[in-house]
Amino acid sequence: MIRLEHVSKEYLAGSGLPALNDVNMEIEDGEFVFIVGDSGSGKSTLIKLLLKELEPTSGTIVINGRKLNKIRRRQIPKFRREIGVVFQDFRLLKDRNVYNNVAFAQKVIGESTRMIRCNVPNILSKVGLAAKYRSYPRQLSGGEQQRVAIARALINRPKILLADEPTGNLDNTNAWDIMKLMEEINNDGTTIVVVTHNLEIVSRMNKRVIQMNKGVIVDDSGRPDPDVKDSASDGGSYGENSAFGESTGSYGRDFTAFSRRDRFFGTAGTYGAGGSAYEEDFYDAGPPVDGGDDGDAD
């Protein structure tokens, strides 16, 4: 379960412009929830708080029965391993094939080679990529790359899957295939939280919708408000200025959640200029970073 109680986040103390303002929210185990809203609405700040990449200015966050403010620095990596994360731009290791991209997530947690050889084929079969295990990212379509990313996020059996614009780099056909896959994963019991600008998918999926605006939840009744303008509309449903876009997004090139000190992931150069599969410090965290965003982090 995910629960927020009177959570606020202010990047600049005393600015009077909180990224989140007294947010109360509860997501039950096994739910499938969309979070929608304009850029600047607080969506990406919310995701960062759930990952304990940021600390709230006030309020309480509880995930899987644990109060995040009680989690010590050395416990953050273990906590993050309980949450699967899917990024808009896939974050695959370009120099490794599909099998090794997925296996890498198990090696990080110290899983045995014997179990990896069992687990990886099973999860690749689930996402429909059993025959592609030897392929490299450059040999895959966008939809196939996102399936690899989902397999990697699920391989350690997280109770919660957070997806930030998972269809943002995909055409409509592949976008729908990915959402159907996520629905299947949800049917298996995994809690799914999807941040998206794609209101067409949201309306057709018929799931719970939490709509945010200027740091507050303005609607939690189910369907998105058709009168609220999609902030990506000027560039299509997946515009470059979306909440998790390449240049301005929370998980873009300047994402500050992860330093370059991680013993597992090495330097950023290993994974290309944009960042690594999980960025460099996701599973070997330093202290939460409270900054690096220009105003509201969306």
Side-chain angles (χ1 to χ4, degrees), residues 207-228:
K207 305 294 184 182
R208 178 182 172 191
V209 181
I210 296 174
Q211 190 163 338
M212 301 188 68
N213 185 38
K214 296 181 179 179
V216 299
I217 293 175
V218 295
D219 186 68
D220 191 4
S221 59
R223 297 286 179 124
D225 185 345
D227 294 329
V228 174

Side-chain angles (χ1 to χ4, degrees), residues 102-131:
V102 177
F104 186 64
Q106 294 238 284
K107 292 177 181 177
V108 164
I109 66 169
E111 188 61 87
S112 69
T113 299
R114 181 176 66 85
M115 289 305 299
I116 291 174
R117 288 174 177 170
C118 175
N119 293 337
V120 174
N122 285 342
I123 196 67
L124 288 179
S125 178
K126 183 175 183 63
V127 300
L129 289 177

Side-chain angles (χ1 to χ4, degrees), residues 265-285:
F265 295 93
T267 62
T270 306
Y271 311 112
S276 73
Y278 300 93
E279 293 291 348
E280 290 80 20
D281 204 29
F282 191 69
Y283 291 120
D284 192 19

Side-chain angles (χ1 to χ4, degrees), residues 176 199-207 223:
W176 276 110
L199 299 186
E200 178 185 359
I201 282 180
V202 171
S203 63
R204 290 177 62 183
M205 289 285 287
N206 198 30
K207 305 294 184 182
R223 297 286 179 124

Side-chain angles (χ1 to χ4, degrees), residues 254-274:
D254 296 324
F255 184 38
T256 58
F258 315 111
S259 69
R260 302 187 179 188
R261 301 188 302 274
D262 181 55
R263 65 180 180 270
F264 296 118
F265 295 93
T267 62
T270 306
Y271 311 112

